[in-house]
Amino acid sequence: MNAPRLDRHRLPHHIAVIMDGNGRWARQRGRPRVFGHRAGSKAVRRVVRACRRLGIEVLSLYAFSAQNWGRPADEVHHLMDLLGEFIIKEWQEIMERGIRVVHIGAIRRVPAEVRSRLKALELASQRNRDMTLVLALSYGGREEIVRGAQRLVSRAAAGKLRPADVDADCFSRALYTAGLPEPELLIRTGGERRISNFLLWQCAYTELFFTDVLWPDFKVADLRAAIIDFQGRSRRFGLTGEQWEERDG
Ligand code: FPP
């Protein structure tokens, strides 16, 4: 039997990625962890290009979690530098390829220089329409949900929101990801099988794909394999198979 092929008419609209394994990749080579992050940055470039070429609408990358601030200071420093470098190096290509860049997360903690570069890129790319690249930076899913709840409570306290108005759509609009489609496919590299506080609310019905490939080794072929696997899944959103097939009459 022929191996399944990627169907370009049934692509996930939104792919989210937990890029894990940089440290182990470096250790396997007897190099410091930051060496792995640098190689990871090249994989970011590869995957952004591939998603844009395929026609993926939204790509979300977990670049730095709220919990990553607890890592050794020099590693944090290096990751921030890499991000700043990425913005400068990729700026032109991002614009040429029509990619809109947005961040999610508490970036007030990000060093001012990197933060202002990021904001400048967000502003410059805000009208780009061919793909949205979401950078999760200083991001935590629980933190996002708590922040959303605080925003709704403030509006309620100001008399601008009634408890009965709070439903799932209203809550979604209070999150960083307001206006973005929910991820249909979440890829995690590096062998662990967990979500690690990434897009907790948004991943309620997301298909999960775990691979042992370490992030710096993640190639376009691995991305395609994840999408092909996704295309073989049966998604029913809580309904029975029969209901799902008959849902449009
Ligand atoms: C997890 O691997 C990876 C990170 C915490 C950082 C991800 C950052 C990059 C891929 C590079 C910079 C990003 C951009 C957007 C330019 P790990 O260090 O936990 O790996 P380990 O589990 O093997 O130790």
Side-chain angles (χ1 to χ4, degrees), residues 80 83-85 87-88 91 101 103 107-125 137:
M80 293 298 144
L83 186 74
E85 250 178 58
I87 295 168
I88 293 175
W91 185 296
V101 175
H103 80 273
I107 61 158
R108 62 182 178 280
R109 288 188 73 180
V110 168
E113 200 189 327
V114 179
R115 198 170 60 227
S116 62
R117 268 185 218 167
L118 175 63
K119 286 191 168 168
L121 179 56
E122 287 181 313
L123 191 66
S125 69
L137 267 181

Side-chain angles (χ1 to χ4, degrees), residues 19-24 33 37 40-41 44 62-63 68 71 75 79 82-83 86 135 215:
M19 311 180 286
D20 195 16
N22 294 349
R24 277 163 287 162
R33 296 178 57 78
H37 293 316
S41 192
V44 168
Y62 204 6
N68 286 154
R71 290 195 174 199
E75 184 172 342
L79 278 166
L82 267 182
L83 186 74
F86 178 85
L135 294 176
W215 176 250

